[in-house]
Amino acid sequence: MDMDRLDFQRDKDIIIPRALFATTEQTFLKDITLLEKIYKKDQILFYLKNTKERISNLVCDLVSKRYSTEPFKRFSL
């Protein structure tokens, strides 16, 4: 993927999940804060819930707690 050709609005379906895929419990606050400077809460939630990226359940828990939404999982145990 050519990073120079990404557009923050057009490619939010790629950018949001990739940023969350790469986050850890230690970097979550910094990473989600950066995303929130560009995207609304509902956009972040939508693309996280609907992506095919392998987002960890831990990240899903962190996002749902941050936004006080019903917890959700990407993978069942």
Side-chain angles (χ1 to χ4, degrees), residues 1-2 4 6-7 19 37-38 47 69 73:
M1 178 176 302
D2 185 354
D4 293 328
L6 284 176
D7 177 272
K37 288 181 180 185
I38 303 167
Y47 288 107
T69 62
K73 306 281 187 216

Side-chain angles (χ1 to χ4, degrees), residues 1-51:
M1 178 176 302
D2 185 354
M3 300 295 280
D4 293 328
R5 298 183 73 191
L6 284 176
D7 177 272
F8 286 112
Q9 288 308 311
R10 181 190 67 221
D11 298 318
K12 60 185 166 261
D13 61 324
I14 297 168
I15 295 169
I16 293 170
R18 294 278 173 98
L20 293 170
F21 175 78
T23 198
T24 66
E25 195 168 8
Q26 292 75 29
T27 64
F28 175 75
L29 185 57
K30 177 183 156 212
D31 296 336
I32 197 74
T33 301
L34 289 172
L35 281 176
E36 290 168 343
K37 288 181 180 185
I38 303 167
Y39 305 108
K40 296 177 183 175
K41 172 181 95 168
D42 61 330
Q43 292 174 311
I44 294 170
L45 282 167
F46 176 82
Y47 288 107
L48 175 59
K49 289 179 178 181
N50 293 290
T51 185

